[in-house]
Amino acid sequence: LKTPDGSYAWKENGLVQKAIREIRKEFPSFLVFTDVCLCEYTSHGHCGLLKDGCTVDNDPTLELLARTAVSHAEAGAHCVAPSAMMDGQVAAIRDALDADSYTDTLLMSYSSKFASSMYGPFREAAASAPSHGDRKSYQADYRNPRTALLESILDEGEGADILMVKPAQMYLDIIAEVKRTTLLPVAAYNVSGEYSMIHASAQK
C-alpha cells in the first residue's frame, strides 16, 4: 500500500478513515484527533513528495496533506493534526477544510517538532523510517530553538487552533516558551521513545 506519493493516506476506505468511523459509531462521546502525514504511506518513508528522488518537494506536498486532512474530517475526525513539518501546511489544510465546509474541524499543529532519535520505536512499528537520508531538513534542530519557536508563531498565524511541542520530556523549556508567546492551547507529545524509557523504568 506504500507508493511514491503516499496516495493511500487519503483513501475513503483507508485504515485511518475506517477507524475514525468505527470509533465515532461505538464511542460517540469521544473526541477524535488524527495525525496527518504521508511518511507511513510513502515507499521512501519521507513526509512528502520527493524531488529528483532525494529532497522533499515542499509545495506540491501541501495539496496531498490537505487532501488527507479533508478525508479525515469527512470520516468524522474532530481535529486534524499535521505532523509533516512542511512550510505552509497549516494554511493549506485550513483553506481546504473551510472550502469543504469543515469550518468547525480543529487544527492542531505539530508546530515545534524536533528531529530526534526518540521516534525510533514508532518508525520501526510503522515501517516508516526513511529509506535514505533523514528528516533533519524539515524537522527542527535542537541546536536552534529559535527556529522551532518561529514555526509555532507562523502556524498560529496560518490558522492553527492548538500548538504542539514534540518530543515532550526533553523540551520543557520550549513548551514553557511557546506558552509565553501564544494565547492558544499548547499540547505536548510524549513520543514512542520517551514512552519506552518510562515503560522500561517501570519494569525495573
Side-chain angles (χ1 to χ4, degrees):
L1 299 176
K2 294 177 184 284
T3 59
D5 66 353
S7 58
Y8 186 74
W10 59 84
K11 296 294 185 187
E12 181 181 355
N13 289 314
L15 186 63
V16 170
Q17 290 80 358
K18 288 194 289 187
I20 295 167
R21 288 192 289 270
E22 288 298 313
I23 292 168
R24 288 295 305 271
K25 182 173 67 176
E26 294 295 325
F27 306 100
S29 64
F30 277 15
L31 289 175
V32 179
F33 285 57
T34 63
D35 177 88
V36 176
C37 194
L38 302 179
C39 64
E40 286 189 68
Y41 309 101
T42 53
S43 52
H44 45 75
H46 281 283
C47 300
L49 295 173
L50 292 187
K51 178 170 52 178
D52 303 324
C54 57
T55 57
V56 173
D57 201 358
N58 188 97
D59 291 359
T61 299
L62 299 180
E63 179 186 349
L64 307 186
L65 293 170
R67 193 181 302 178
T68 302
V70 169
S71 76
H72 291 183
E74 287 175 345
H78 298 97
C79 177
V80 294
S83 64
M85 292 300 286
M86 298 294 119
D87 292 337
Q89 64 182 11
V90 170
I93 290 171
R94 184 75 270 165
D95 288 347
L97 290 170
D98 290 351
D100 278 22
S101 299
Y102 295 109
T103 55
D104 291 335
T105 302
L106 292 172
L107 205 163
M108 178 171 68
S109 171
Y110 289 53
S111 55
S112 294
K113 179 180 176 180
F114 290 87
S116 175
S117 61
M118 286 291 151
Y119 308 138
F122 161 76
R123 289 178 183 169
E124 183 178 347
S128 68
S131 59
H132 65 277
D134 54 42
R135 297 178 180 147
K136 292 181 179 178
S137 64
Y138 48 96
Q139 292 181 351
D141 188 335
Y142 72 90
R143 294 166 295 189
N144 187 6
R146 292 174 65 87
T147 298
L149 294 171
L150 177 61
E151 292 285 356
S152 289
I153 293 168
L154 292 173
D155 285 357
E156 179 173 4
E158 290 181 17
D161 299 296
I162 305 169
L163 301 176
M164 182 194 285
V165 178
K166 178 183 180 181
Q169 288 175 261
M170 287 76 171
Y171 296 103
L172 298 179
D173 56 334
I174 303 299
I175 294 170
E177 190 60 35
V178 171
K179 188 66 175 179
R180 278 193 289 268
T181 60
T182 184
L183 295 177
L184 294 179
V186 177
Y189 196 140
N190 197 240
V191 302
S192 58
E194 295 174 290
Y195 171 80
S196 296
M197 290 194 302
I198 293 169
H199 189 66
S201 297
Q203 285 182 319
K204 293 181 181 298

